[in-house]
Amino acid sequence: MSVKYIPVQWNNNKYIYDAVMLLGVGLFLYVFLYAAPGLLSHERPINPQVHNARAFGACAFVMLSVILCIGPLARLDPRFLPLLYNRRHFGVMTVFVAITHAGYIIDWYFAFSSSNKYEALLFANTSYGQLAGFPFEIFGIFALFTLIVLAATSHDFWMKFLSPPVWKRIHYLIYPAYLSVVAHVSFGILQDQQNHTFTVIFIGGAAAVGVLHLMAALHERRVDQAIKADAVDWVPVCDVAQMREGFARIKLLANGERVAVYLNEGKLSAISNACAHQNGPLGEGRIINCLVTCPWHGFQYDVTSGRSPAPFTEMVPTYNLKTDGAMVLLDPRANPPGTFVEPVPAPGREAKL
């Protein structure tokens, strides 16, 4: 949470996360370079410089595929949420691996050009009008620069400076970047190999990303249909008996907004379901001491006011509630972020003293 900005706020979970990630990168490179050097067999022998370049390139592709699988997996099954917490570390590490790949390529294929090696990278092949021999390097250049921009703006400072909606839209560039990587590999290395092991890894990784995103979209659509509400002054949420102490019921409003309605110590409160940090699902968090914790990154909010506990300053909108018998009713007009709303007693669910 953001009172001041520290480059990296380490904790035990982040140490473990990053250690596992670094171990995975090292293991992948070891297998690629030493344990299975024939993973990519080529028509022509390759030297260590090129082999290293392809090992780091393959590693970057696998890492990027895993990153893009984490989001939909977390939506489909909350048990994958721990992988989401420090995904930005994963992205930054992927950029370093991709830069290493580009460095090997530039320092070998273009270092002996009569012109500047970076100019040679851009102009050595300009056969854009044909598929065979298409200058696939341009896809890799676009993807690399996009990933560098995303890594450079991954810190919370940029999210606060740009605002979460703008920051989120910028980071959607990860998808065109991934498609560029797929094109880079398809027009590049896949045209020059006889061993299809890497082809299987490549197609499997890209297919996993596509299928998981499709499954997550269908899952979200089913949830939206299940909780879709009519546009009336007060909208029904659920029967009080359906609520669980310390947890929320999610209500989808006609305008598309989601509201988290909580039962806390026998009383009802409602706040926006979208965390002010990265729009994380607050309704999936549990209340402790009147504070709900966002399951994505740990931001906390008082469910009666939508405010983060001091000294933090984040706020989300609150909503008014009332009951009609055992039915919980919600006013769909949001209060300004941080507005206190007196909790409403839940009939039959009064807290035991």
Side-chain angles (χ1 to χ4, degrees):
M1 300 174 75
S2 52
V3 169
K4 61 180 181 179
Y5 297 103
I6 299 174
V8 180
Q9 297 180 346
W10 297 105
N11 55 42
N12 287 337
N13 288 335
K14 290 184 178 181
Y15 282 127
I16 295 172
Y17 192 104
D18 289 359
V20 172
M21 181 175 62
L22 287 170
L23 181 63
V25 170
L27 183 62
F28 182 95
L29 293 174
Y30 173 79
V31 171
F32 199 107
L33 290 171
Y34 304 109
L39 187 63
L40 288 180
S41 60
H42 301 81
E43 294 179 355
R44 300 180 297 277
I46 59 174
N47 59 37
Q49 184 89 349
V50 176
H51 198 193
N52 290 339
R54 293 178 175 175
F56 278 91
C59 186
F61 169 77
V62 172
M63 293 177 74
L64 195 55
S65 298
V66 172
I67 289 171
L68 286 174
C69 287
I70 290 175
L73 282 172
R75 300 306 305 160
L76 293 167
D77 191 331
R79 287 177 294 183
F80 289 99
L81 279 171
L83 297 177
L84 195 65
Y85 294 150
N86 299 302
R87 189 172 51 171
R88 282 184 279 184
H89 289 211
F90 210 144
V92 172
M93 178 59 68
T94 302
V95 170
F96 282 110
V97 173
I99 290 175
T100 305
H101 161 73
Y104 275 119
I105 293 294
I106 293 172
D107 287 337
W108 175 254
Y109 283 105
F110 302 100
F112 308 107
S113 172
S114 56
S115 60
N116 180 282
K117 58 185 179 181
Y118 298 105
E119 294 177 358
L121 171 66
L122 294 172
F123 303 113
N125 181 4
T126 56
S127 304
Y128 291 98
Q130 61 186 40
L131 288 178
F134 189 89
F136 64 94
E137 295 87 353
I138 196 68
F139 295 116
I141 294 171
F142 171 78
L144 181 60
F145 274 93
T146 302
L147 293 177
I148 290 173
V149 169
L150 299 186
T153 58
S154 65
H155 196 275
D156 278 353
F157 166 79
W158 288 105
M159 184 182 302
K160 195 76 172 182
F161 180 75
L162 296 170
S163 78
V166 172
W167 185 90
K168 196 69 177 178
R169 288 186 177 90
I170 291 175
H171 281 249
Y172 280 142
L173 288 173
I174 188 68
Y175 294 105
Y178 186 72
L179 291 176
S180 284
V181 170
V182 171
H184 179 68
V185 176
S186 299
F187 285 99
I189 186 62
L190 292 189
Q191 307 294 321
D192 188 35
Q193 65 166 333
Q194 295 178 324
N195 187 323
H196 296 294
T197 302
F198 181 72
T199 303
V200 173
I201 296 174
F202 171 71
I203 294 176
V209 171
V211 169
L212 284 173
H213 276 77
L214 179 61
M215 292 174 62
L218 293 174
H219 174 74
E220 291 290 313
R221 183 179 179 184
R222 286 195 295 271
V223 172
D224 288 349
Q225 289 175 342
I227 61 177
K228 189 172 183 179
D230 296 327
V232 294
D233 288 340
W234 287 87
V235 294
V237 178
C238 65
D239 191 286
V240 172
Q242 296 177 291
M243 301 198 69
R244 184 180 172 195
E245 177 65 35
F247 293 88
R249 298 278 295 189
I250 309 301
K251 183 66 179 177
L252 176 67
L253 302 179
N255 61 6
E257 296 292 331
R258 295 185 179 210
V259 181
V261 182
Y262 297 92
L263 176 62
N264 179 39
E265 297 183 350
K267 294 185 177 181
L268 302 163
S269 296
I271 62 174
S272 169
N273 189 53
C275 177
H277 178 221
Q278 281 193 22
N279 294 334
L282 293 179
E284 296 179 13
R286 180 181 180 182
I287 294 179
I288 298 177
N289 295 329
C290 205
L291 296 174
V292 63
T293 302
C294 178
W296 282 12
H297 301 103
F299 279 47
Q300 292 185 315
Y301 301 89
D302 188 318
V303 296
T304 64
S305 65
R307 293 175 179 268
S308 294
F312 305 108
T313 58
E314 284 74 15
M315 295 184 290
V316 295
T318 57
Y319 290 82
N320 297 323
L321 295 169
K322 69 178 184 179
T323 57
D324 182 5
M327 180 60 65
V328 181
L329 300 175
L330 169 74
D331 183 345
R333 295 164 296 186
N335 297 313
T339 302
F340 173 79
V341 176
E342 185 68 35
V344 176
R349 301 295 298 273
E350 292 80 4
K352 297 179 181 178
L353 298 177

